[in-house]
Every structure is written in C-alpha cells, then in structure tokens.
C-alpha cells in the first residue's frame, strides 16, 4: 500500500474522527437499538482503537483510498435510509468493515478474496459473507457513486493543505533557489 500512503495518512484520521463524532452524536440521542442491525453488534468492545482498525484494513486489504471514501458514503446512505438506526462503539467496526468490503468490490479492480479479507477484519469468512449480504440489502444495492457526490465527501473528509504547510520550495525553479541561497549567505540573512 505504499503508493497510497500519502492519501491514507490524510484520510484515515479524518474518517476515524468523523465516525467517532457521529457515534458521539448518536449516543446522545439514546434511541433504542434497531434490532435489524444486530448482525453488526459485538458482545465486547474491541480493544483496538477505530483509527488503528481502519489503518489495519488499509494496510492489509490492499484497498484504495477511493474505496475507503466510498465505504463512508455507503454508511451515510445507510444512516439516511434508517433514521432510527444509530452508530455505536459496538457496531461501528463490523459495519465499517462490511461497508469497506462492499466498496472495494464496487470501486477497485482487484481485491482480496473474502476469506483473506475476513482474516484482516477479525471475522470468519462466513460471517463476512453475512455482513456483506446484509449491508447490500439494507442500502438496497444503492452503489452508484456520482462524481459530484464523491468529490463533496472527499472535500469534507480531506481538508485542503494550507499554504503554510506547503514548503515554499514547491513549484520553484531549483536554479532560482540556488541563487536565492547564495544571496542569503552573502548577506548573512537567515532562511
């Protein structure tokens, strides 16, 4: 996944943060649990942090950053379709994993088989098949990703790099930089 490292370094914390904020908001709503989604509930809280889990998925499943973003879009569609459904610490891991699995099959040209994909997420192959099947049914196979929608989610989750965080040397002619450096040295000026 080295080729996607820069994108994942930026997007994974943003995705984990966004999902955590939604979980916090949903927890404050204190709605009764929607039993239709019990397949995604875990009996014990996972010991791994959400960001670490998302990072693990990215590292070992060979998915693209686009698949990760598509999973977020699909989760959002699920929440919109079922307003009484709430994300929680007990369902987010399996829900996100199921959404990523579906997204990887929609977006990426190649993907791990379900047996190997399941091992990364800490579930059995059969259970991953069930998670994937249920997820597809709950979102009613609404898998089309319109470019404007994709771009909007990307913009929300991946804030642009600020000009202060971009080295001033990017986009500058190397010969010009060398001349500037010589001028500074002669004048005793600090960079």
């Amino acid at each position: 996944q080295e080729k996607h490292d820069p994108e994942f370094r930026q997007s994974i914390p943003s995705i984990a943060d966004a999902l955590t904020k939604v979980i916090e908001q949903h927890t404050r709503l204190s709605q009764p649990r929607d039993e239709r989604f019990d397949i995604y509930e875990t009996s014990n809280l996972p010991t791994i942090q959400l960001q670490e889990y998302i990072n693990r998925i990215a590292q070992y499943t060979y998915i693209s950053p686009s698949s990760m973003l598509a999973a977020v879009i699909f989760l959002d569609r699920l929440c919109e379709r079922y307003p009484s459904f709430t994300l929680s610490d007990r369902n987010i891991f399996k829900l996100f994993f199921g959404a990523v699995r579906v997204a990887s099959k929609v977006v990426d040209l190649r993907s791990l088989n379900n047996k190997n994909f399941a091992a990364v997420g800490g579930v059995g192959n059969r259970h991953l098949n069930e998670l994937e099947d249920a997820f597809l049914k709950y979102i009613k196979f609404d898998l089309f990703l319109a470019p404007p929608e994709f771009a909007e989610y990307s913009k929300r989750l991946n804030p642009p790099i600020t000009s202060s965080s971009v080295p001033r040397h990017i986009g500058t002619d190397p010969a010009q930089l060398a001349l500037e450096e010589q001028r500074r040295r002669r004048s005793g000026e600090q960079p």
Side-chain angles (χ1 to χ4, degrees):
Q1 284 303 77
E2 287 179 24
K3 74 176 185 177
H4 296 304
D5 254 2
E7 293 96 335
F8 279 135
R9 269 198 309 273
Q10 183 177 357
S11 64
I12 289 173
S14 297
I15 289 170
D17 185 53
L19 291 173
T20 300
K21 286 178 181 173
V22 171
I23 291 168
E24 289 169 359
Q25 289 172 348
H26 284 188
T27 301
R28 284 193 294 272
L29 294 175
S30 56
Q31 291 181 301
R33 195 175 87 239
D34 190 331
E35 293 177 7
R36 290 178 289 193
F37 299 95
D38 280 354
I39 189 171
Y40 297 103
E41 294 286 323
T42 57
S43 52
N44 298 316
L45 285 175
T47 56
I48 190 172
Q49 295 295 313
L50 184 58
Q51 184 171 330
E52 293 170 30
Y53 186 69
I54 295 170
N55 203 33
R56 177 183 170 84
I57 293 169
Q59 185 174 4
Y60 296 110
T61 62
Y62 310 109
I63 63 165
S64 67
S66 296
S67 287
M68 191 76 71
L69 184 59
V72 172
I73 294 170
F74 294 158
L75 271 177
D76 209 19
R77 288 179 185 175
L78 180 76
C79 290
E80 287 174 0
R81 194 175 293 278
Y82 299 94
S84 65
F85 172 65
T86 57
L87 296 179
S88 73
D89 291 330
R90 293 199 184 273
N91 67 20
I92 191 59
F93 290 88
K94 288 184 181 181
L95 263 168
F96 188 73
F97 192 63
V100 168
R101 183 61 192 152
V102 168
S104 71
K105 289 182 176 181
V106 171
V107 176
D108 293 335
L109 294 175
R110 290 184 292 185
S111 180
L112 292 177
N113 62 37
N114 270 18
K115 179 182 173 189
N116 293 330
F117 206 95
V120 172
V123 298
N125 185 32
R126 183 181 196 143
H127 191 51
L128 176 58
N129 292 339
E130 293 166 349
L131 295 174
E132 186 180 359
D133 180 61
F135 193 84
L136 286 166
K137 288 176 182 171
Y138 288 135
I139 65 167
K140 303 198 183 311
F141 292 86
D142 182 12
L143 302 173
F144 177 73
L145 296 163
E149 177 186 34
F150 195 85
E152 179 60 32
Y153 274 84
S154 181
K155 192 167 63 175
R156 283 190 210 165
L157 287 172
N158 297 308
I161 298 173
T162 62
S163 60
S164 62
S165 66
V166 176
R168 68 180 189 86
H169 302 297
I170 292 178
T172 305
D173 177 31
Q176 182 64 36
L177 286 175
L179 289 173
E180 251 183 71
E181 183 63 29
Q182 285 176 352
R183 183 190 58 77
R184 261 199 300 276
R185 280 193 204 137
R186 275 189 243 130
S187 68
E189 194 179 307
Q190 293 295 319

